[in-house]
Amino acid sequence: MARETVVLVTASGEIKIDTEIAGTSEEKALGLMFRTYLPDTQGMLFAYDKPLEITMWMRNTYIPLDMVFIKPDGTIHRIEARTEPLSEAIIASKGDVLAVLELAGGAAERFGLKPGDKVRHRFFKN
């Protein structure tokens, strides 16, 4: 997968995340499955062609993740924190978004990241 930098813009400053880009349907289906570790400074970005209700799950994902749902302008819509490993429960964006950034479980809280904050990357109009 391609790697690019995503910048999280929080009240306490900017945080750079080394991000794998899940661009193809195969890469999106695999996601972070089978990983046993993810540092706070790394993540995976799932971007779509147009805004839509996005659903995810944790099948074959061994570590908890924070799922950051992002609107087309780069605004964080919502965060599903510390998702349950190996769960097949559906995690929904609860609104139309353009992308999901997956981070290590608890990273969003450690960064002070919250809905309304911004994400800068070429995918977003910001």
Side-chain angles (χ1 to χ4, degrees), residues 25 32 35 42-43 46-49 51 53 55-56 59 71 74 77 80 85 90 96 98 108-109 111-112 114 117 120:
S25 56
L32 290 169
R35 310 273 179 107
Q42 294 181 7
F46 300 75
Y48 295 83
D49 295 329
E53 173 82 17
T55 56
M56 310 287 279
R59 178 189 286 173
K71 296 179 182 180
H77 172 65
E80 182 77 22
I90 300 299
D96 289 348
L98 190 64
E109 182 180 3
F111 295 149
K114 61 188 182 323
D117 286 346
R120 286 201 328 249

PDB file of all heavy atoms in Angstrom, residues 25 32 35 42-43 46-49 51 53 55-56 59 71 74 77 80 85 90 96 98 108-109 111-112 114 117 120:
ATOM      1  N   SER A  25     -10.244  -1.967  -3.593  1.00  0.00           N
ATOM      2  CA  SER A  25     -11.237  -2.700  -2.809  1.00  0.00           C
ATOM      3  C   SER A  25     -10.575  -3.843  -2.026  1.00  0.00           C
ATOM      4  O   SER A  25     -10.983  -4.149  -0.906  1.00  0.00           O
ATOM      5  CB  SER A  25     -12.363  -3.218  -3.703  1.00  0.00           C
ATOM      6  OG  SER A  25     -11.852  -4.014  -4.732  1.00  0.00           O
ATOM      7  N   LEU A  32      -6.440  -3.444   8.419  1.00  0.00           N
ATOM      8  CA  LEU A  32      -5.402  -3.739   9.410  1.00  0.00           C
ATOM      9  C   LEU A  32      -5.563  -5.130  10.022  1.00  0.00           C
ATOM     10  O   LEU A  32      -5.045  -5.414  11.100  1.00  0.00           O
ATOM     11  CB  LEU A  32      -5.413  -2.664  10.507  1.00  0.00           C
ATOM     12  CG  LEU A  32      -4.917  -1.289  10.048  1.00  0.00           C
ATOM     13  CD1 LEU A  32      -5.200  -0.227  11.099  1.00  0.00           C
ATOM     14  CD2 LEU A  32      -3.427  -1.328   9.723  1.00  0.00           C
ATOM     15  N   ARG A  35      -2.742  -7.671  12.056  1.00  0.00           N
ATOM     16  CA  ARG A  35      -1.651  -6.912  12.688  1.00  0.00           C
ATOM     17  C   ARG A  35      -1.709  -7.145  14.192  1.00  0.00           C
ATOM     18  O   ARG A  35      -2.775  -7.268  14.778  1.00  0.00           O
ATOM     19  CB  ARG A  35      -1.776  -5.412  12.410  1.00  0.00           C
ATOM     20  CG  ARG A  35      -1.970  -5.036  10.958  1.00  0.00           C
ATOM     21  CD  ARG A  35      -0.665  -4.876  10.214  1.00  0.00           C
ATOM     22  NE  ARG A  35      -0.928  -4.529   8.826  1.00  0.00           N
ATOM     23  CZ  ARG A  35      -0.728  -3.332   8.300  1.00  0.00           C
ATOM     24  NH1 ARG A  35      -0.262  -2.351   9.026  1.00  0.00           N
ATOM     25  NH2 ARG A  35      -0.988  -3.120   7.025  1.00  0.00           N
ATOM     26  N   GLN A  42       1.224   5.866  13.450  1.00  0.00           N
ATOM     27  CA  GLN A  42       0.878   5.224  12.191  1.00  0.00           C
ATOM     28  C   GLN A  42      -0.620   4.956  12.134  1.00  0.00           C
ATOM     29  O   GLN A  42      -1.294   4.900  13.158  1.00  0.00           O
ATOM     30  CB  GLN A  42       1.649   3.921  12.012  1.00  0.00           C
ATOM     31  CG  GLN A  42       3.137   4.134  11.864  1.00  0.00           C
ATOM     32  CD  GLN A  42       3.883   2.829  11.670  1.00  0.00           C
ATOM     33  OE1 GLN A  42       3.292   1.767  11.524  1.00  0.00           O
ATOM     34  NE2 GLN A  42       5.201   2.911  11.667  1.00  0.00           N
ATOM     35  N   GLY A  43      -1.127   4.787  10.907  1.00  0.00           N
ATOM     36  CA  GLY A  43      -2.539   4.494  10.738  1.00  0.00           C
ATOM     37  C   GLY A  43      -2.834   4.033   9.328  1.00  0.00           C
ATOM     38  O   GLY A  43      -1.929   3.824   8.520  1.00  0.00           O
ATOM     39  N   PHE A  46      -8.880   4.972   4.734  1.00  0.00           N
ATOM     40  CA  PHE A  46      -9.800   4.406   3.758  1.00  0.00           C
ATOM     41  C   PHE A  46     -10.563   5.580   3.158  1.00  0.00           C
ATOM     42  O   PHE A  46     -11.375   6.205   3.844  1.00  0.00           O
ATOM     43  CB  PHE A  46     -10.804   3.473   4.439  1.00  0.00           C
ATOM     44  CG  PHE A  46     -10.186   2.302   5.157  1.00  0.00           C
ATOM     45  CD1 PHE A  46      -9.542   2.470   6.372  1.00  0.00           C
ATOM     46  CD2 PHE A  46     -10.265   1.034   4.616  1.00  0.00           C
ATOM     47  CE1 PHE A  46      -8.997   1.395   7.050  1.00  0.00           C
ATOM     48  CE2 PHE A  46      -9.722  -0.051   5.288  1.00  0.00           C
ATOM     49  CZ  PHE A  46      -9.083   0.126   6.504  1.00  0.00           C
ATOM     50  N   ALA A  47     -10.306   5.907   1.905  1.00  0.00           N
ATOM     51  CA  ALA A  47     -10.968   7.052   1.262  1.00  0.00           C
ATOM     52  C   ALA A  47     -11.877   6.548   0.151  1.00  0.00           C
ATOM     53  O   ALA A  47     -11.569   5.559  -0.528  1.00  0.00           O
ATOM     54  CB  ALA A  47      -9.938   8.019   0.716  1.00  0.00           C
ATOM     55  N   TYR A  48     -12.981   7.253  -0.046  1.00  0.00           N
ATOM     56  CA  TYR A  48     -13.989   6.861  -1.031  1.00  0.00           C
ATOM     57  C   TYR A  48     -14.177   7.982  -2.046  1.00  0.00           C
ATOM     58  O   TYR A  48     -13.768   9.123  -1.815  1.00  0.00           O
ATOM     59  CB  TYR A  48     -15.291   6.494  -0.313  1.00  0.00           C
ATOM     60  CG  TYR A  48     -15.092   5.269   0.554  1.00  0.00           C
ATOM     61  CD1 TYR A  48     -14.555   5.395   1.842  1.00  0.00           C
ATOM     62  CD2 TYR A  48     -15.358   4.000   0.077  1.00  0.00           C
ATOM     63  CE1 TYR A  48     -14.323   4.265   2.630  1.00  0.00           C
ATOM     64  CE2 TYR A  48     -15.139   2.874   0.863  1.00  0.00           C
ATOM     65  CZ  TYR A  48     -14.615   3.019   2.133  1.00  0.00           C
ATOM     66  OH  TYR A  48     -14.377   1.909   2.903  1.00  0.00           O
ATOM     67  N   ASP A  49     -14.800   7.663  -3.177  1.00  0.00           N
ATOM     68  CA  ASP A  49     -14.969   8.621  -4.270  1.00  0.00           C
ATOM     69  C   ASP A  49     -15.988   9.716  -3.973  1.00  0.00           C
ATOM     70  O   ASP A  49     -15.911  10.799  -4.532  1.00  0.00           O
ATOM     71  CB  ASP A  49     -15.381   7.891  -5.551  1.00  0.00           C
ATOM     72  CG  ASP A  49     -14.301   6.958  -6.054  1.00  0.00           C
ATOM     73  OD1 ASP A  49     -13.111   7.253  -5.837  1.00  0.00           O
ATOM     74  OD2 ASP A  49     -14.647   5.924  -6.647  1.00  0.00           O
ATOM     75  N   PRO A  51     -19.045  11.104  -0.724  1.00  0.00           N
ATOM     76  CA  PRO A  51     -19.523  10.908   0.647  1.00  0.00           C
ATOM     77  C   PRO A  51     -20.619   9.849   0.709  1.00  0.00           C
ATOM     78  O   PRO A  51     -21.481   9.783  -0.167  1.00  0.00           O
ATOM     79  CB  PRO A  51     -20.078  12.285   1.031  1.00  0.00           C
ATOM     80  CG  PRO A  51     -19.446  13.241   0.084  1.00  0.00           C
ATOM     81  CD  PRO A  51     -19.228  12.483  -1.189  1.00  0.00           C
ATOM     82  N   GLU A  53     -22.515   6.747   3.778  1.00  0.00           N
ATOM     83  CA  GLU A  53     -22.528   6.094   5.084  1.00  0.00           C
ATOM     84  C   GLU A  53     -21.545   4.928   4.997  1.00  0.00           C
ATOM     85  O   GLU A  53     -21.721   4.021   4.178  1.00  0.00           O
ATOM     86  CB  GLU A  53     -23.940   5.587   5.396  1.00  0.00           C
ATOM     87  CG  GLU A  53     -24.041   4.749   6.646  1.00  0.00           C
ATOM     88  CD  GLU A  53     -24.128   5.566   7.924  1.00  0.00           C
ATOM     89  OE1 GLU A  53     -24.433   6.768   7.855  1.00  0.00           O
ATOM     90  OE2 GLU A  53     -23.895   4.993   8.990  1.00  0.00           O
ATOM     91  N   THR A  55     -19.536   1.702   6.706  1.00  0.00           N
ATOM     92  CA  THR A  55     -19.589   0.725   7.791  1.00  0.00           C
ATOM     93  C   THR A  55     -18.293  -0.085   7.792  1.00  0.00           C
ATOM     94  O   THR A  55     -17.742  -0.392   6.726  1.00  0.00           O
ATOM     95  CB  THR A  55     -20.797  -0.208   7.659  1.00  0.00           C
ATOM     96  OG1 THR A  55     -20.767  -0.853   6.381  1.00  0.00           O
ATOM     97  CG2 THR A  55     -22.108   0.554   7.810  1.00  0.00           C
ATOM     98  N   MET A  56     -17.839  -0.400   8.984  1.00  0.00           N
ATOM     99  CA  MET A  56     -16.594  -1.151   9.172  1.00  0.00           C
ATOM    100  C   MET A  56     -16.881  -2.268  10.178  1.00  0.00           C
ATOM    101  O   MET A  56     -17.922  -2.270  10.835  1.00  0.00           O
ATOM    102  CB  MET A  56     -15.501  -0.232   9.735  1.00  0.00           C
ATOM    103  CG  MET A  56     -15.291   1.082   8.999  1.00  0.00           C
ATOM    104  SD  MET A  56     -14.478   0.905   7.423  1.00  0.00           S
ATOM    105  CE  MET A  56     -12.781   0.794   7.937  1.00  0.00           C
ATOM    106  N   ARG A  59     -13.394  -7.909  12.077  1.00  0.00           N
ATOM    107  CA  ARG A  59     -13.097  -9.319  11.796  1.00  0.00           C
ATOM    108  C   ARG A  59     -11.595  -9.482  11.525  1.00  0.00           C
ATOM    109  O   ARG A  59     -11.010  -8.718  10.762  1.00  0.00           O
ATOM    110  CB  ARG A  59     -13.886  -9.818  10.602  1.00  0.00           C
ATOM    111  CG  ARG A  59     -13.534 -11.279  10.280  1.00  0.00           C
ATOM    112  CD  ARG A  59     -14.111 -11.738   8.990  1.00  0.00           C
ATOM    113  NE  ARG A  59     -15.553 -11.951   9.145  1.00  0.00           N
ATOM    114  CZ  ARG A  59     -16.347 -12.229   8.127  1.00  0.00           C
ATOM    115  NH1 ARG A  59     -15.885 -12.281   6.903  1.00  0.00           N
ATOM    116  NH2 ARG A  59     -17.624 -12.428   8.332  1.00  0.00           N
ATOM    117  N   LYS A  71     -15.446  13.968   7.202  1.00  0.00           N
ATOM    118  CA  LYS A  71     -16.276  14.586   6.159  1.00  0.00           C
ATOM    119  C   LYS A  71     -15.405  15.053   4.990  1.00  0.00           C
ATOM    120  O   LYS A  71     -14.184  15.165   5.114  1.00  0.00           O
ATOM    121  CB  LYS A  71     -17.031  15.779   6.745  1.00  0.00           C
ATOM    122  CG  LYS A  71     -18.013  15.402   7.837  1.00  0.00           C
ATOM    123  CD  LYS A  71     -18.684  16.645   8.376  1.00  0.00           C
ATOM    124  CE  LYS A  71     -19.629  16.318   9.509  1.00  0.00           C
ATOM    125  NZ  LYS A  71     -20.289  17.522  10.034  1.00  0.00           N
ATOM    126  N   GLY A  74     -12.643  17.552   5.530  1.00  0.00           N
ATOM    127  CA  GLY A  74     -11.603  17.196   6.489  1.00  0.00           C
ATOM    128  C   GLY A  74     -12.023  17.318   7.939  1.00  0.00           C
ATOM    129  O   GLY A  74     -11.236  17.047   8.839  1.00  0.00           O
ATOM    130  N   HIS A  77     -16.157  13.895  11.802  1.00  0.00           N
ATOM    131  CA  HIS A  77     -17.590  13.738  12.072  1.00  0.00           C
ATOM    132  C   HIS A  77     -17.810  13.037  13.417  1.00  0.00           C
ATOM    133  O   HIS A  77     -18.590  13.482  14.240  1.00  0.00           O
ATOM    134  CB  HIS A  77     -18.226  12.948  10.929  1.00  0.00           C
ATOM    135  CG  HIS A  77     -19.636  12.552  11.161  1.00  0.00           C
ATOM    136  ND1 HIS A  77     -20.657  13.465  11.274  1.00  0.00           N
ATOM    137  CD2 HIS A  77     -20.212  11.319  11.314  1.00  0.00           C
ATOM    138  CE1 HIS A  77     -21.795  12.830  11.471  1.00  0.00           C
ATOM    139  NE2 HIS A  77     -21.549  11.530  11.510  1.00  0.00           N
ATOM    140  N   GLU A  80     -15.110   6.433  16.749  1.00  0.00           N
ATOM    141  CA  GLU A  80     -15.461   5.206  17.465  1.00  0.00           C
ATOM    142  C   GLU A  80     -14.163   4.738  18.120  1.00  0.00           C
ATOM    143  O   GLU A  80     -13.242   4.269  17.438  1.00  0.00           O
ATOM    144  CB  GLU A  80     -16.012   4.150  16.505  1.00  0.00           C
ATOM    145  CG  GLU A  80     -16.450   2.881  17.169  1.00  0.00           C
ATOM    146  CD  GLU A  80     -17.796   2.993  17.862  1.00  0.00           C
ATOM    147  OE1 GLU A  80     -18.605   3.878  17.523  1.00  0.00           O
ATOM    148  OE2 GLU A  80     -18.050   2.170  18.760  1.00  0.00           O
ATOM    149  N   PRO A  85     -11.478  -5.947  19.328  1.00  0.00           N
ATOM    150  CA  PRO A  85     -10.803  -6.864  18.409  1.00  0.00           C
ATOM    151  C   PRO A  85     -11.655  -8.092  18.106  1.00  0.00           C
ATOM    152  O   PRO A  85     -12.388  -8.591  18.972  1.00  0.00           O
ATOM    153  CB  PRO A  85      -9.530  -7.250  19.167  1.00  0.00           C
ATOM    154  CG  PRO A  85      -9.276  -6.092  20.077  1.00  0.00           C
ATOM    155  CD  PRO A  85     -10.653  -5.623  20.494  1.00  0.00           C
ATOM    156  N   ILE A  90     -21.108  -4.271  13.446  1.00  0.00           N
ATOM    157  CA  ILE A  90     -20.977  -3.212  12.451  1.00  0.00           C
ATOM    158  C   ILE A  90     -20.753  -1.874  13.158  1.00  0.00           C
ATOM    159  O   ILE A  90     -21.473  -1.519  14.080  1.00  0.00           O
ATOM    160  CB  ILE A  90     -22.237  -3.142  11.563  1.00  0.00           C
ATOM    161  CG1 ILE A  90     -22.437  -4.480  10.832  1.00  0.00           C
ATOM    162  CG2 ILE A  90     -22.155  -1.977  10.583  1.00  0.00           C
ATOM    163  CD1 ILE A  90     -21.308  -4.877   9.908  1.00  0.00           C
ATOM    164  N   ASP A  96     -23.006  10.742   6.307  1.00  0.00           N
ATOM    165  CA  ASP A  96     -22.164  10.638   5.120  1.00  0.00           C
ATOM    166  C   ASP A  96     -20.781  11.217   5.383  1.00  0.00           C
ATOM    167  O   ASP A  96     -20.649  12.352   5.854  1.00  0.00           O
ATOM    168  CB  ASP A  96     -22.810  11.372   3.941  1.00  0.00           C
ATOM    169  CG  ASP A  96     -24.040  10.651   3.417  1.00  0.00           C
ATOM    170  OD1 ASP A  96     -24.268   9.487   3.813  1.00  0.00           O
ATOM    171  OD2 ASP A  96     -24.767  11.242   2.606  1.00  0.00           O
ATOM    172  N   LEU A  98     -16.405  10.963   3.839  1.00  0.00           N
ATOM    173  CA  LEU A  98     -15.568  10.642   2.682  1.00  0.00           C
ATOM    174  C   LEU A  98     -14.494   9.615   3.016  1.00  0.00           C
ATOM    175  O   LEU A  98     -13.991   8.932   2.131  1.00  0.00           O
ATOM    176  CB  LEU A  98     -14.917  11.913   2.138  1.00  0.00           C
ATOM    177  CG  LEU A  98     -14.198  11.800   0.804  1.00  0.00           C
ATOM    178  CD1 LEU A  98     -15.181  11.442  -0.309  1.00  0.00           C
ATOM    179  CD2 LEU A  98     -13.475  13.086   0.465  1.00  0.00           C
ATOM    180  N   ALA A 108      -6.604   8.496  19.640  1.00  0.00           N
ATOM    181  CA  ALA A 108      -7.383   9.732  19.484  1.00  0.00           C
ATOM    182  C   ALA A 108      -7.473  10.472  20.821  1.00  0.00           C
ATOM    183  O   ALA A 108      -7.273  11.693  20.880  1.00  0.00           O
ATOM    184  CB  ALA A 108      -8.776   9.424  18.938  1.00  0.00           C
ATOM    185  N   GLU A 109      -7.744   9.747  21.885  1.00  0.00           N
ATOM    186  CA  GLU A 109      -7.819  10.369  23.214  1.00  0.00           C
ATOM    187  C   GLU A 109      -6.452  10.907  23.636  1.00  0.00           C
ATOM    188  O   GLU A 109      -6.349  12.022  24.154  1.00  0.00           O
ATOM    189  CB  GLU A 109      -8.320   9.360  24.239  1.00  0.00           C
ATOM    190  CG  GLU A 109      -8.459   9.945  25.630  1.00  0.00           C
ATOM    191  CD  GLU A 109      -8.959   8.936  26.651  1.00  0.00           C
ATOM    192  OE1 GLU A 109      -9.160   7.754  26.309  1.00  0.00           O
ATOM    193  OE2 GLU A 109      -9.137   9.348  27.808  1.00  0.00           O
ATOM    194  N   PHE A 111      -4.134  11.988  21.771  1.00  0.00           N
ATOM    195  CA  PHE A 111      -3.851  13.183  20.964  1.00  0.00           C
ATOM    196  C   PHE A 111      -4.783  14.345  21.301  1.00  0.00           C
ATOM    197  O   PHE A 111      -4.552  15.465  20.864  1.00  0.00           O
ATOM    198  CB  PHE A 111      -4.008  12.885  19.470  1.00  0.00           C
ATOM    199  CG  PHE A 111      -3.028  11.906  18.905  1.00  0.00           C
ATOM    200  CD1 PHE A 111      -3.403  11.082  17.848  1.00  0.00           C
ATOM    201  CD2 PHE A 111      -1.740  11.790  19.391  1.00  0.00           C
ATOM    202  CE1 PHE A 111      -2.506  10.180  17.285  1.00  0.00           C
ATOM    203  CE2 PHE A 111      -0.828  10.892  18.844  1.00  0.00           C
ATOM    204  CZ  PHE A 111      -1.224  10.078  17.793  1.00  0.00           C
ATOM    205  N   GLY A 112      -5.861  14.081  22.001  1.00  0.00           N
ATOM    206  CA  GLY A 112      -6.865  15.110  22.253  1.00  0.00           C
ATOM    207  C   GLY A 112      -7.740  15.352  21.033  1.00  0.00           C
ATOM    208  O   GLY A 112      -8.364  16.403  20.886  1.00  0.00           O
ATOM    209  N   LYS A 114     -10.904  15.173  18.609  1.00  0.00           N
ATOM    210  CA  LYS A 114     -12.336  15.112  18.879  1.00  0.00           C
ATOM    211  C   LYS A 114     -13.136  15.535  17.651  1.00  0.00           C
ATOM    212  O   LYS A 114     -12.587  16.141  16.730  1.00  0.00           O
ATOM    213  CB  LYS A 114     -12.685  15.983  20.084  1.00  0.00           C
ATOM    214  CG  LYS A 114     -12.364  17.435  19.897  1.00  0.00           C
ATOM    215  CD  LYS A 114     -12.540  18.216  21.189  1.00  0.00           C
ATOM    216  CE  LYS A 114     -12.268  19.675  21.044  1.00  0.00           C
ATOM    217  NZ  LYS A 114     -11.213  20.098  20.189  1.00  0.00           N
ATOM    218  N   ASP A 117     -12.558  18.643  14.988  1.00  0.00           N
ATOM    219  CA  ASP A 117     -11.167  18.876  14.612  1.00  0.00           C
ATOM    220  C   ASP A 117     -11.000  18.584  13.123  1.00  0.00           C
ATOM    221  O   ASP A 117     -11.887  18.002  12.492  1.00  0.00           O
ATOM    222  CB  ASP A 117     -10.226  17.984  15.427  1.00  0.00           C
ATOM    223  CG  ASP A 117     -10.066  18.438  16.873  1.00  0.00           C
ATOM    224  OD1 ASP A 117     -10.464  19.573  17.193  1.00  0.00           O
ATOM    225  OD2 ASP A 117      -9.546  17.640  17.683  1.00  0.00           O
ATOM    226  N   ARG A 120      -5.892  17.034   7.655  1.00  0.00           N
ATOM    227  CA  ARG A 120      -5.372  17.563   6.389  1.00  0.00           C
ATOM    228  C   ARG A 120      -4.718  16.440   5.590  1.00  0.00           C
ATOM    229  O   ARG A 120      -3.869  15.704   6.090  1.00  0.00           O
ATOM    230  CB  ARG A 120      -4.368  18.683   6.652  1.00  0.00           C
ATOM    231  CG  ARG A 120      -5.028  19.955   7.102  1.00  0.00           C
ATOM    232  CD  ARG A 120      -4.173  21.196   6.902  1.00  0.00           C
ATOM    233  NE  ARG A 120      -2.760  20.981   7.033  1.00  0.00           N
ATOM    234  CZ  ARG A 120      -2.005  21.449   8.024  1.00  0.00           C
ATOM    235  NH1 ARG A 120      -2.538  22.151   8.990  1.00  0.00           N
ATOM    236  NH2 ARG A 120      -0.710  21.210   8.042  1.00  0.00           N
TER     237      ARG A 120
END
